Amino acid sequence: MSFEQLQLKNQLCHRLYMASNSIARTYRTLLNEINLTYPQYVVMMALWEEDKITIAALIEKTAIDGSALTQILKKMTDKALLMVIKDESDKRKRFIQLTTQGQSLKHQAADIPKQIQCKFNSIDSAQAEQLMHLLDLVVHDLNSEEVDSLDINEQRT
Amino acid sequence: MSFEQLQLKNQLCHRLYMASNSIARTYRTLLNEINLTYPQYVVMMALWEEDKITIAALIEKTAIDGSALTQILKKMTDKALLMVIKDESDKRKRFIQLTTQGQSLKHQAADIPKQIQCKFNSIDSAQAEQLMHLLDLVVHDLNSEEVDSLDINEQRT
DNA sequence: TGCAAATATTTTGCATGCAAATTAAAATGT
DNA sequence: ACATTTTAATTTGCATGCAAAATATTTGCA
């Protein structure tokens, strides 16, 4: 596999870079109609699944960087899609809760997954599964390599 | 495939988003040592492959957005990695050429692909091939759907 | 009790990615 | 030749992603 590893066109990373940008671009166009960016849409998806969760939980669920999320939530609050609620028992925590407007946006966004899906003409569901699986492996490998001596302790889930 | 399509954790796009960010993060750490960002590294890779090419050619080869590339090239010029050379025959065009410093950086960056590769413990070369192939399909599908009536003309490569 | 260490978020600063508008120069059609 | 169109790059404005530093609280312990 190392024969032409130095060529850009043979690099996995560059493929990933291009694919990710392509998807983001595609979403941007679609999401533009409901005035959301992709990360904002991801936040909405997470909240439609489970409302009134902690910011930490939202970070966990969306994989959006915390410092970016702060800004994103600020903009979404301005758009009246959600509210930030302080936890009285632990004043460090904040809960994020959808507004009525945020909840109702779910209906308008209902067909977005289908619209995206129908663009994938070259990929059947088995291949999509495969792809998701492989991407999971990539993420796992790249995120778990920080551990060196902790291998033994952290390996179990 | 549509049963739980609305769940974030089942979305191809979210996987891609996470994988792309993970890779970018991994590169960032490595590239930090030679004072390059990932897009800047991609530009260097392209130029190490073929020096003194047009900005348009660089965009084509790297898939980096043109307006972003302008800024990136500016920073790389400041770092004395490359030079922008005007084409006398066509004053719209500019060629990008590596400086001696830019060329010699190739040696210092030589082991980066290996360092990245050795992090992929769960993926063998066959799976990497598979993954790249699937990502190509994704990119192809998402980038070629602008055509509607042009299908007949543009379908051939 | 009291203070260091751990948590949960936010703030800052820098580098993109991208759509849209702009500028400059070359190619085309008449 | 001359206006129109196309091509090559740049500029602008907005939204992130992320490392690092700063804040505010809570926990854990001596």
Side-chain angles (χ1 to χ4, degrees), chain A residues 19-100:
Chain A
S20 177
N21 285 341
S22 286
I23 277 210
R25 221 175 302 134
T26 303
Y27 265 104
R28 187 171 298 121
T29 309
L30 277 180
L31 291 173
N32 201 33
E33 291 170 36
I34 54 175
N35 193 30
L36 287 179
T37 65
Y38 181 66
Q40 287 170 12
Y41 172 63
V42 171
V43 168
M44 293 306 285
M45 296 254 314
L47 292 171
W48 288 328
E49 263 177 56
E50 186 181 5
D51 200 0
K52 195 167 184 180
I53 59 178
T54 286
I55 290 185
L58 205 48
I59 290 173
E60 164 77 24
K61 204 164 185 174
T62 62
I64 295 175
D65 173 72
S67 50
L69 191 56
T70 299
Q71 311 303 322
I72 292 169
L73 290 176
K74 199 171 292 177
K75 283 165 196 159
M76 293 176 80
T77 304
D78 292 343
K79 291 194 226 178
L81 292 172
L82 49 80
M83 298 173 294
V84 178
I85 299 169
K86 287 182 183 175
D87 182 347
E88 287 308 319
S89 70
D90 185 340
K91 291 181 181 169
R92 292 171 305 180
K93 295 184 186 171
R94 282 107 205 260
F95 290 106
I96 305 299
Q97 186 168 29
L98 290 173
T99 59
T100 308

Side-chain angles (χ1 to χ4, degrees), chain A residues 98-121:
Chain A
L98 290 173
T99 59
T100 308
Q101 215 176 119
Q103 288 167 3
S104 70
L105 191 62
K106 183 173 185 174
H107 306 303
Q108 297 166 56
D111 63 329
I112 289 184
K114 281 177 215 149
Q115 288 196 47
I116 291 287
Q117 213 172 307
C118 78
K119 305 211 181 214
F120 293 120
N121 299 310

Side-chain angles (χ1 to χ4, degrees), chain B residues 7-62:
Chain B
Q7 298 239 310
L8 211 42
K9 60 174 187 169
N10 293 326
Q11 290 211 179
L12 176 56
C13 320
H14 197 237
R15 294 293 216 302
L16 222 43
Y17 169 85
M18 290 190 290
S20 177
N21 284 342
S22 285
I23 276 210
R25 219 175 304 132
T26 303
Y27 265 103
R28 187 171 297 123
T29 309
L30 278 179
L31 291 173
N32 201 33
E33 290 170 37
I34 55 175
N35 193 32
L36 287 180
T37 64
Y38 181 66
Q40 287 170 12
Y41 173 64
V42 171
V43 168
M44 293 306 285
M45 295 256 311
L47 292 171
W48 287 329
E49 263 177 57
E50 186 181 6
D51 201 0
K52 196 169 184 179
I53 59 178
T54 286
I55 290 185
L58 205 49
I59 290 172
E60 164 77 24
K61 204 163 185 173
T62 62

Side-chain angles (χ1 to χ4, degrees), chain A residues 1-3 5-23 25-27 38-39 41-42 45-46 49 61-65 106 110 113-114 116-117 119-125 127-143 145, chain B residues 1-3 5-23 25-27 38-39 41-42 45-46 49 61-65 106 109-110 113 116-117 119-125 127-143 145:
Chain A
M1 189 162 84
S2 57
F3 51 105
Q5 190 64 35
L6 291 169
Q7 298 239 309
L8 211 43
K9 60 174 189 170
N10 293 324
Q11 291 210 181
L12 176 55
C13 321
H14 197 238
R15 293 291 215 301
L16 223 42
Y17 169 84
M18 290 190 290
S20 177
N21 285 341
S22 286
I23 277 210
R25 221 175 302 134
T26 303
Y27 265 104
Y38 181 66
Y41 172 63
V42 171
M45 296 254 314
E49 263 177 56
K61 204 164 185 174
T62 62
I64 295 175
D65 173 72
K106 183 173 185 174
K114 281 177 215 149
I116 291 287
Q117 213 172 307
K119 305 211 181 214
F120 293 120
N121 299 310
S122 321
I123 299 178
D124 61 36
S125 57
Q127 286 175 313
E129 290 287 339
Q130 248 278 291
L131 181 46
M132 288 200 285
H133 173 61
L134 291 172
L135 291 173
D136 280 345
L137 294 181
V138 167
V139 172
H140 175 272
D141 278 354
L142 295 180
N143 290 15
E145 46 68 41
Chain B
M1 188 163 86
S2 57
F3 52 106
Q5 190 64 37
L6 291 170
Q7 298 239 310
L8 211 42
K9 60 174 187 169
N10 293 326
Q11 290 211 179
L12 176 56
C13 320
H14 197 237
R15 294 293 216 302
L16 222 43
Y17 169 85
M18 290 190 290
S20 177
N21 284 342
S22 285
I23 276 210
R25 219 175 304 132
T26 303
Y27 265 103
Y38 181 66
Y41 173 64
V42 171
M45 295 256 311
E49 263 177 57
K61 204 163 185 173
T62 62
I64 295 174
D65 172 72
K106 182 173 184 173
I116 292 287
Q117 212 173 307
K119 306 213 180 210
F120 293 120
N121 299 310
S122 321
I123 298 178
D124 61 35
S125 55
Q127 286 174 312
E129 290 286 338
Q130 248 277 291
L131 181 46
M132 289 201 284
H133 173 61
L134 291 172
L135 291 173
D136 280 345
L137 294 182
V138 167
V139 171
H140 175 272
D141 278 353
L142 295 180
N143 290 13
E145 46 68 41

